[in-house]
C-alpha cells in the first residue's frame, strides 16, 4: 500500500512497545520497530525468567495484522544509532507520520517495595533511556515532520507522572516526558505537528503477567481491567484524526478518557480511568518565558 502511514515505535521488542506496534499494524501502518533484542536472553521478568520477544518477531506480528513491520536493531542510548535510524526512515519512506516514544530502561528492582537508596543506582538509567532518549528521538522526528507539515510525536506515560509509582526515578521520567509534550507543543504550534503524552492504564504485557504472579495482592485487581497495548496505538491514531487535534496537542491525556471522547474502544471494551485513585494530569499552562 503506497498510501500507508509511517510510524516508528521505539523499544518494541516486547512489552508495551510490542503491543503498540501491533496496534498500528492493525490500522495498516508501516511500522519501524526498534529495540536491542535480536534473540531472547538478556531481558528478564520479575521472577528472573527470560522474557520472549525480538524486533523481528514484533515486525512479523505487525505484518500479520495488516501493516508492514520493519525491524531495526537500535540502542536508544547511542545517539549515532538513533540518527542513522531516522536517516534510514527518510531514505526509505520520505516521511514519518508518528513517532511513538516507548523505549525505557526497566530495572530489575523497579517494583520492589524499597526506598530508592536501597535499590541499585542503576535504576536512574531510566533517565537516560526513557527520558533523554525520548528527547533525542523527538528532535529527529520534528526535523522530518515540520517540513512535511504533519505528524504526531507521542510519549507513552502513566499515572506515575503524578502519584508515587515505582520510586522517584520512574516518576521523574514520566513527569519529564509529560513536560516534553507540553513544551514541544509550544514550539510546534502552527506547524501541523502535534505532541501528546498518553497515560496508559495497567497493560497486559509479559512483565505485568509475571507481576500478577509475584505480587498478586498488588496487581491482580488491576490486571482484570488492564488495557491491551494495541489500544494505545488506536488512541494515538484517533487523536491525530480528531477535529480538535490542535487543542489536544501539548496535553497529557488519559487513554481511557480520551478514547471514550473519540469513540475508541479496547477490543469492544471501555477501560476505567484511575484519575480518582491515582491523580490527574497537569493542565496546559499558557505562560511562556524565553
Amino acid at each position: 500500500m503506497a498510501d500507508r502511514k509511517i510510524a516508528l515505535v521505539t523499544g518494541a521488542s516486547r512489552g508495551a512497545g510490542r503491543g503498540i506496534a501491533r496496534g498500528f499494524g492493525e490500522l495498516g501502518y508501516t511500522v519501524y520497530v526498534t529495540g536491542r533484542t535480536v534473540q531472547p536472553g538478556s531481558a528478564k521478568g520479575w521472577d528472573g525468567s527470560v522474557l520472549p520477544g525480538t524486533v523481528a518477531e514484533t515486525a512479523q506480528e505487525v505484518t500479520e495484522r495488516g501493516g508492514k513491520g520493519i525491524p531495526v536493531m537500535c540502542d536508544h542510548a547511542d545517539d549515532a544509532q538513533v540518527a542513522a535510524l531516522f536517516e534510514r526512515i527518510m531514505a526509505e519512506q520520505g516521511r514519518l507520520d508518528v513517532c511513538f516514544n516507548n523505549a525505557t530502561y526497566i530495572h530489575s528492582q523497579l517494583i520492589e517495595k524499597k526506598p530508592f537508596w536501597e535499590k541499585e543506582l542503576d535504576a536512574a538509567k531510566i533517565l537516560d533511556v526513557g527520558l533523554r532518549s525520548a528527547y533525542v528521538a523527538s528532535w529527529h522526528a520534528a526535523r522530518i515532520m515540520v517540513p512535511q507539515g504533519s505528524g504526531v510525536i507521542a510519549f507513552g506515560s502513566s499515572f506515575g507522572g503524578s502519584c508515587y509509582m515505582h520510586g522517584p526515578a520512574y516518576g521523574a521520567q514520566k513527569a519529564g516526558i509529560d513536560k516534553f509534550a507540553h513544551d514541544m507543543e509550544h514550539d510546534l504550534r502552527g506547524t501541523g505537528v502535534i505532541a501528546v503524552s498518553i497515560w496508559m492504564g495497567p497493560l497486559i504485557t509479559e512483565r505485568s503477567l509475571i507481576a500478577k504472579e509475584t505480587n498478586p495482592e498488588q496487581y491482580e485487581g488491576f490486571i482484570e481491567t488492564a488495557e491491551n497495548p494495541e489500544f494505545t496505538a488506536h488512541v494515538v491514531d484517533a487523536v491525530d484524526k480528531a477535529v480538535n487535534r490542535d487543542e489536544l496537542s501539548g496535553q497529557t491525556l488519559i487513554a481511557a478518557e480520551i478514547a471514550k471522547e473519540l469513540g475508541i474502544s479496547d477490543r469492544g471494551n471501555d477501560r476505567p480511568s484511575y484519575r480518582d485513585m491515582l491523580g490527574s494530569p497537569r493542565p496546559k499552562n499558557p505562560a511562556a518565558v524565553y
Side-chain angles (χ1 to χ4, degrees), residues 35-247:
R36 295 181 300 164
T37 306
V38 293
Q39 59 183 20
S42 59
K44 304 291 180 61
W46 308 120
D47 59 355
S49 61
V50 174
L51 292 174
T54 68
V55 288
E57 289 171 358
T58 300
Q60 179 61 34
E61 290 173 345
V62 169
T63 301
E64 290 170 352
R65 284 161 173 75
K68 180 181 179 181
I70 301 174
V72 183
M73 199 287 287
C74 180
D75 182 349
H76 283 270
D78 186 330
D79 288 355
Q81 291 188 36
V82 176
L85 164 68
F86 282 89
E87 289 171 3
R88 175 178 172 179
I89 292 172
M90 274 301 288
E92 294 179 352
Q93 308 297 337
R95 65 180 296 107
L96 179 63
D97 298 295
V98 177
C99 174
F100 196 101
N101 290 289
N102 172 76
T104 307
Y105 175 76
I106 301 296
H107 191 266
S108 61
Q109 294 177 296
L110 181 70
I111 65 171
E112 290 184 13
K113 294 181 181 179
K114 293 181 178 179
F116 72 92
W117 64 89
E118 292 184 6
K119 295 182 180 181
E120 295 174 3
L121 188 57
D122 274 357
K125 286 183 178 179
I126 195 172
L127 303 179
D128 297 317
V129 178
L131 187 58
R132 186 184 184 279
S133 62
Y135 185 95
V136 173
S138 299
W139 183 87
H140 284 286
R143 291 165 73 90
I144 295 173
M145 293 176 175
V146 170
Q148 74 190 20
S150 63
V152 181
I153 297 172
F155 302 90
S157 190
S158 80
F159 290 86
S162 174
C163 71
Y164 180 96
M165 185 178 289
H166 307 322
Y170 179 90
Q173 187 262 335
K174 296 308 178 190
I177 58 175
D178 292 347
K179 194 62 160 60
F180 281 170
H182 180 278
D183 289 4
M184 287 179 187
E185 182 276 332
H186 181 88
D187 291 345
L188 292 168
R189 198 173 300 163
T191 67
V193 185
I194 64 172
V196 292
S197 191
I198 306 294
W199 277 10
M200 299 176 281
L203 297 178
I204 300 172
T205 67
E206 300 90 347
R207 279 192 173 95
S208 67
L209 292 175
I210 293 172
K212 185 184 75 168
E213 300 301 322
T214 57
N215 296 277
E217 74 288 346
Q218 183 176 355
Y219 287 94
E220 191 166 7
F222 281 113
I223 291 297
E224 291 176 359
T225 57
E227 298 168 6
N228 292 288
E230 291 86 350
F231 175 57
T232 307
H234 294 191
V235 167
V236 170
D237 180 75
V239 167
D240 188 29
K241 295 174 180 175
V243 294
N244 62 335
R245 71 190 293 272
D246 290 341
E247 178 186 335

